[in-house]
Amino acid sequence: MQSPPAPLRLRIDRAALAGNWRVLDGMSGTASAGAAVKADAYGLGVAHAVPILRDAGARDFFVAHWCEVAAMLDHVPPSQVAVLHGPVTTEDAAFAHATGVRPVINSVQQARLWLALGGGACDLMVDTGMNRLGLPPSQLAEPDIARLRVHTLHSHLASADEDSVQNRQQLSLFAQVAAARTAQRRAFANSAGIALGRDYAFDLTRPGIALYGGVPRAELADAIRQVAFPQVRIMQVRQLQTGDHVGYGGVFVAPHAMRVATVALGYADGYLRSWDGRGMLQAGAEQLPLLGRVSMDMVVVDLSAIPDLGPGDWLDLPYSLPVAAQGGQLTQYELLTLLGPRLERFVTD
Ligand SMILES: *Cc1c(COP(=O)(O)O)cnc(C)c1O
């Protein structure tokens, strides 16, 4: 027998996701926009997001791990997928060969793993100042790097969401690297990097967060639309008397008689304890403040604004990413990627 519908779900707005890709592709100028779809398309679900991005026109998809490749190949050909972490083991390199997915080579060691299995087209990530993944520019002349057949030459901005001098420094270093190293294409900008201007775009951009409704720089605020809309069901409604306590620790004490609803959303779903005392749900335009602590599988909200709701009714979790991130407890990236597997993903037109 099939499970009944989940009491919590994540609505994905097809037009908003496709529209965000088109906006970012347009802002990339003569470069094309790809799509960072690591971490299950930032939590939206590859099976939902990738066909929409593909149909909008995206032809370059980036995942972090090799275990993320199989889900991609249900929707796009292997030549359109690259794995950012590159081959760390021989098994990784063998898997890249077998599937035809491009590894992003990040070090001389990774180049050797790739060449040992015969090499072939790969991407190369050069570190221009982030010191996380990527080849130091001083090692570009290493014989095993020189031997690589580089499809796309990459670097990644560390501070594109800020007005940092590091952006220009990385740009000028990447321009030097790109002039020195032959590659079919050059890719540099993430979402925020696209907003820094056309000189950051090169041939291909790699937006992630802004595709999914994130606004990492103010320049994107008017163009980017919310894509992911969490919704949760009321399980039970109760009447509190003055002085009643709610939830673990009894930290909320009713100041007067009030109607409350217990809702199927908890920290196990990515609605973290950092929302204690400040979270809220919505029923239409009505705001329903969170009462007490977030539990693993539920929260309690104040139903005073709209008392006739009952079990089975759906509430909205306000999740405009730039607004939800304003308290500073969670970033826009965390807000999306935290959303757990118990939210049933579905797409609406
Ligand atoms: C995640 C990632 C991106 C996308 O970054 P956003 O800030 O989400 O746009 C681009 N490039 C690389 C190398 C990444 O790891």
Side-chain angles (χ1 to χ4, degrees), residues 108-194:
V108 173
Q109 212 170 7
Q110 289 197 351
R112 287 186 186 136
L113 278 175
W114 182 238
L115 292 167
L117 291 182
C122 63
D123 288 4
L124 178 64
M125 173 68 71
V126 175
D127 174 44
T128 51
M130 195 170 185
N131 287 300
R132 192 182 63 168
L133 268 185
L135 186 83
S138 60
Q139 294 176 10
L140 274 166
E142 288 281 326
D144 288 325
I145 297 297
R147 281 171 62 202
L148 292 175
R149 187 144 64 80
V150 177
H151 183 272
T152 306
L153 181 70
H154 299 268
S155 192
H156 188 46
L157 286 156
S159 308
D161 53 345
E162 293 161 37
D163 291 321
S164 164
V165 292
Q166 198 179 11
N167 296 326
R168 280 268 147 212
Q169 288 164 353
Q170 286 195 269
L171 175 62
S172 88
L173 184 50
F174 186 59
Q176 286 172 40
V177 166
R181 168 73 220 207
T182 320
Q184 278 182 45
R185 301 184 306 183
R186 299 151 307 155
F188 188 51
N190 60 351
S191 303
I194 292 171

Side-chain angles (χ1 to χ4, degrees), residues 69-306:
V69 166
M72 292 299 300
L73 298 184
D74 291 340
H75 309 288
V76 293
S79 59
Q80 297 184 2
V81 181
V83 177
L84 291 164
H85 288 189
V88 175
T89 64
T90 300
E91 288 94 328
D92 294 342
F95 185 77
H97 265 289
T99 53
V101 164
R102 282 197 318 283
V104 178
I105 301 297
N106 290 285
S107 66
V108 173
Q109 212 170 7
Q110 289 197 351
R112 287 186 186 136
L113 278 175
W114 182 238
L115 292 167
L117 291 182
C122 63
D123 288 4
L124 178 64
M125 173 68 71
V126 175
D127 174 44
T128 51
M130 195 170 185
N131 287 300
R132 192 182 63 168
L133 268 185
L135 186 83
S138 60
Q139 294 176 10
L140 274 166
E142 288 281 326
D144 288 325
I145 297 297
R147 281 171 62 202
L148 292 175
R149 187 144 64 80
V150 177
H151 183 272
T152 306
L153 181 70
H154 299 268
S155 192
H156 188 46
L157 286 156
S159 308
D161 53 345
E162 293 161 37
D163 291 321
S164 164
V165 292
Q166 198 179 11
N167 296 326
R168 280 268 147 212
Q169 288 164 353
Q170 286 195 269
L171 175 62
S172 88
L173 184 50
F174 186 59
Q176 286 172 40
V177 166
R181 168 73 220 207
T182 320
Q184 278 182 45
R185 301 184 306 183
R186 299 151 307 155
F188 188 51
N190 60 351
S191 303
I194 292 171
L196 289 177
R198 295 280 167 91
D199 45 344
Y200 285 78
F202 292 86
D203 304 310
L204 173 71
T205 57
R206 299 182 309 263
I209 192 71
L211 293 172
Y212 312 112
V215 179
R217 290 190 64 93
E219 294 91 333
L220 295 169
D222 293 336
I224 294 299
R225 287 165 58 196
Q226 183 175 350
V227 173
F229 297 83
Q231 299 171 328
V232 291
R233 248 186 173 147
I234 295 176
M235 299 187 290
Q236 188 174 352
V237 164
R238 65 196 327 117
Q239 186 69 35
L240 299 183
Q241 305 307 323
T242 307
D244 281 351
H245 295 248
V246 172
Y248 285 119
V251 294
F252 178 79
V253 183
H256 46 74
M258 58 197 293
R259 208 166 162 73
V260 302
T262 305
V263 176
L265 172 73
Y267 58 76
D269 303 302
Y271 193 68
L272 300 192
R273 285 283 307 272
S274 57
W275 288 105
D276 287 4
R278 65 185 191 103
M280 68 167 61
L281 299 179
Q282 284 186 333
E286 301 294 347
Q287 303 200 325
L288 315 176
L290 189 67
L291 305 177
R293 290 183 184 155
V294 177
S295 298
M296 186 184 292
D297 315 297
M298 53 195 129
V299 291
V300 176
V301 293
D302 181 353
L303 216 51
S304 308
I306 180 158

Side-chain angles (χ1 to χ4, degrees), residues 15-30:
L17 178 55
N20 288 347
W21 182 83
R22 281 189 217 102
V23 162
L24 294 161
D25 188 57
M27 288 179 73
S28 300
T30 54

